[in-house]
Amino acid sequence: MVDNASDGGCFHCGLPLPQPPFTTTIANSKREFCCFGCQSVCSAIYQAGLEGFYQRTPEGRLLAPPPEPPKDIELYNLDVLQQEYVRSSGDQRTIHLLVEGIHCAACVWLIERSLHQVDGVLRASVNLSGRRLLLEWDNSRVELATVLKRLATIGYAALPFDPEIAEGATRRQNRAILFRMAFAGFAMMNLTWISIALYSGADAGEYRQLFHWLGFALATPTLFYAGWLFFKGAVTGLLNRHLTMDLPIVIGATTTWLYSSWVTFSGSSSGAVYFDTVVNFIFVILIGRFLEAISKRHAVAATQRLMDLQPRVATVIQADGDSVVPIRTIKTGDQVRVRPGDKIPVDGRILTGRSEVDESMLSGESRPLQKECGDSVAAGTINRGNPLIIETTATLGNTSLGRIIALVEEAQASKAPIQCTADRIVPWFVGITLLLAAITFLFWVQSDFEQALMAATAVLIITCPCAFGMATPMAIAVASGQGARHGILVKNGTVLETLSHINHFIFDKTGTLTRGIMSLQRIISKDDHKTLLTLVAAVEQHSEHAIARAITSTAESHSLPYAAISVSDFHYTPGRGITARVAGELITIGTLDHLTASGIEIDATLTAQLGDGETETVTPVYLARNNRHHAILLLSDTLREEAAGVIASLRQQGIKMTLLSGDRQPVAENIARQLGGMAVIAEVLPAEKDAVIQRLQQQGERVAMVGDGVNDAPALIRADVGIAVGSGTDVSIESADIVLMYSDLNKLPLAAALSRRTLRTIHQNIAISILYNLIMVPLAMAGLITPLVAAISMPVSSLLVIGNAARIRTLFNKRPSCNTTT
């Protein structure tokens, strides 16, 4: 960083110094600051070994003196206060913070590096566009207030993210641009009349000098007030040895103003003034900045719309009657009343009532779903029918809606590999721009100084890397936001790029291609069936497998008292079965191999009762009591209605498919035949699924794994892209890169189409930016474009990129079905 003492700027933020300035010794050199806050922050940054911050401060915005830290910061350690904002799993907690004082990528670097030095901080990830910090910490090692104090030490004030506060901050920023734009517009309109007079002959008359002075009076405040945003960005870059895109704008505007001022003050009769040019292109560039801000806000508004789904209050049933309370005060177990037409404020289970619930905002499913006692409902959905009483199971950030919002924000903050290349190229644009402007000026100055000035200024203004820098993040932000609105949760931008290159889909069978709702068809046994079913259900109630759910459901339908039976020595062998003690008996349940491996002899009289071909359509579960084979339970599952169409769609696209199942080979092959045929790998243990995918990857395959169970988690992590269906377990959803809400397989081709559309949009955006510069820069160098036209053209490329990214939404407007090939 340069020494700002000589140029009158604060060493930290670059603002003018008071007299006397604040001084201290930094890195063995005396430094001057505009306030004690800047002095303290700079000292803290150097003491932490993070002085690289000053070398990384790049494009666009001047650093500001550090904002005031929040008052009563210790209150944020209270669990009651954290409840509204924090997602927790024991002492491991996650929160989104709105950070005031973030200006650029260097701020991102400083915050992340500084917080990673704090013991107990597990993750710190900054979303620059939203000025939000995703913080994960271990509350047993460090408290939230300590982290907030650390941020204040390095110059940032952080508060728990509230969409209303964030929206207010965005509006204030846009309003500031609007005020400056209005001032420039007023000056432009008045200068237009002066320009008309000069161009109509007044430049040769007695009032020539008067018009020049009037132009100077209007252009000067416009340049230094309305154009102050550009001066701030340019000065910041120079102080920190970075060439920002504001620098060419400032050079062009200032050079033109200086030349026009020289003509005015000298009274020269030969030169012309260009105050109107200065004012006009500042006004037009401000319009472009304002339109970009508005367009970006609309393009990525899906996250805000998701946040708007969360009601702020709820009607809680209390001992003395109903009470309307803030949503943050509701606790797990509270009973909430939801009237017809109201949004459901919490995740919960219906205690009383039966109604239709509109879940289209979360899942994209247009038809309301019938809900009754015992069914689960999600926050943000709408009760369309009758009154409901709901028992709260999750609130705020812990609800399905809260987790969706968190995933979308993480995806929008992430970077795809192609963006990393773009980020490295952008800084070179400015240097090339200055070089081309210098060449242009030297070429034209030999014949006409004013022509050289106008041509060089046009080159400085028209060259714009903004579109190139936004090409990837805008596409990813729109894609992840729109995907979330339609039931496709993408966890990071890299996934969208990777999914577009997948050539092999691996499908789990149970719960993915089949409904996962198995039913008990019959019991083969000489014992009393109800007694057997009670014993088996008592064991299976401790498992989450689809077979376990089928057995316990059947027991419940027969009102069998299995839940009251004590179970001990429970041991689950993934992919094989369970052993446990029930009422003094050793119960062994599982596959044929599981019983055989346990030294249990299979009763041939029971297996002989299996019908011809029955083993291809049902899943047999073997039961032994005290190491003697007593029964075979036959269960079956049904294919999802949309499965065949989805598989056919992927087959038409030339994608390889494999059915990977822990079930027996005949059952898996029967499912594959019903789906039109695919490779089958059956009787695979959970640990082996991971190995199967690794083997395919070693053969050069780009593999996507689609699953739903705990035993699919290692495979989902191993695959190039892990896709979990929404009905899956928390473990499988956490392990996946993409989550298909509400188990709708039709969203799988849509997700693939979204990835291809996103990657194509990124390529188109990069092409737009490059093509714009290839066409416009030579025209400006040739003197065929005036500075005003350049100012009008400069924001066009950025607006084209934003508009093209917004077109991703049309993919969902078409509402593609299982045969999507877009």
Side-chain angles (χ1 to χ4, degrees), residues 407-408 410-411 480 488-496 498-499 502 697 703-705 707 713 715-725 731-740 751:
L407 287 174
V408 173
E410 288 182 38
S480 56
I488 303 170
L489 300 186
V490 181
K491 292 190 176 180
N492 60 70
T494 304
V495 173
L496 288 169
T498 305
L499 183 58
I502 292 297
Q697 290 172 327
V703 180
M705 172 70 190
L716 290 169
I717 295 172
R718 171 70 63 182
D720 295 290
V721 177
I723 304 173
V725 295
V731 175
S732 66
I733 290 174
E734 288 297 322
S735 302
D737 302 303
I738 296 175
V739 180
L740 307 181

Side-chain angles (χ1 to χ4, degrees), residues 394-567:
T395 62
L396 299 169
N398 296 317
T399 64
S400 297
L401 176 61
R403 291 194 296 270
I404 290 171
I405 292 171
L407 287 174
V408 173
E409 289 178 335
E410 288 182 38
Q412 292 181 341
S414 64
K415 290 186 178 183
I418 194 172
Q419 185 179 349
C420 298
T421 302
D423 289 346
R424 287 193 296 268
I425 294 174
V426 166
W428 291 92
F429 261 79
V430 178
I432 295 173
T433 298
L434 297 176
L435 178 61
L436 292 176
I439 293 172
T440 302
F441 181 82
L442 293 174
F443 174 80
W444 285 103
V445 76
Q446 301 175 40
S447 56
D448 187 339
F449 176 81
E450 292 186 1
Q451 175 65 28
L453 179 63
M454 292 296 100
T457 301
V459 172
L460 289 169
I461 295 170
I462 206 164
T463 308
C464 180
C466 302
F468 196 80
M470 288 192 297
T472 299
M474 280 304 304
I476 288 175
V478 174
S480 56
Q482 291 297 316
R485 289 190 66 204
H486 293 84
I488 303 170
L489 300 186
V490 181
K491 292 190 176 180
N492 60 70
T494 304
V495 173
L496 288 169
E497 186 172 340
T498 305
L499 183 58
S500 64
H501 300 301
I502 292 297
N503 60 6
H504 199 141
F505 272 84
I506 305 290
F507 289 93
D508 175 51
K509 179 180 73 69
T510 304
T512 303
L513 292 175
T514 65
R515 296 178 60 83
I517 306 174
M518 302 192 77
S519 59
L520 182 60
Q521 299 298 316
R522 69 188 183 106
I523 300 175
I524 302 175
S525 178
K526 299 172 184 176
D527 298 349
D528 178 68
H529 288 188
K530 287 189 176 181
T531 302
L532 282 175
L533 187 57
T534 303
L535 291 173
V536 176
V539 176
E540 294 286 9
Q541 67 179 316
H542 299 286
S543 172
E544 64 163 24
H545 196 279
I547 289 176
R549 291 194 294 269
I551 291 173
T552 54
S553 177
T554 304
E556 287 175 0
S557 67
H558 288 83
S559 302
L560 300 178
Y562 70 91
I565 299 176
S566 176
V567 177

Side-chain angles (χ1 to χ4, degrees), residues 653-721:
Q653 298 172 40
I655 295 175
K656 300 176 186 176
M657 287 170 290
T658 298
L659 176 60
L660 191 62
S661 175
D663 212 335
R664 295 178 309 108
Q665 188 77 23
V667 176
E669 289 179 347
N670 180 60
I671 293 293
R673 281 196 298 272
Q674 294 182 54
L675 295 172
M678 69 173 75
V680 174
I681 303 177
E683 301 180 33
V684 180
L685 296 177
E688 295 172 347
K689 290 184 177 182
D690 174 63
V692 168
I693 290 179
Q694 186 177 19
R695 188 164 61 250
L696 289 172
Q697 290 172 327
Q698 290 171 350
Q699 296 171 4
E701 303 285 344
R702 301 295 297 273
V703 180
M705 172 70 190
V706 187
D708 76 321
V710 170
N711 58 2
D712 295 323
L716 290 169
I717 295 172
R718 171 70 63 182
D720 295 290
V721 177

Side-chain angles (χ1 to χ4, degrees), residues 594-601 627:
H594 183 57
L595 265 67
T596 303
S598 301
I600 299 171
E601 184 179 350
N627 292 324

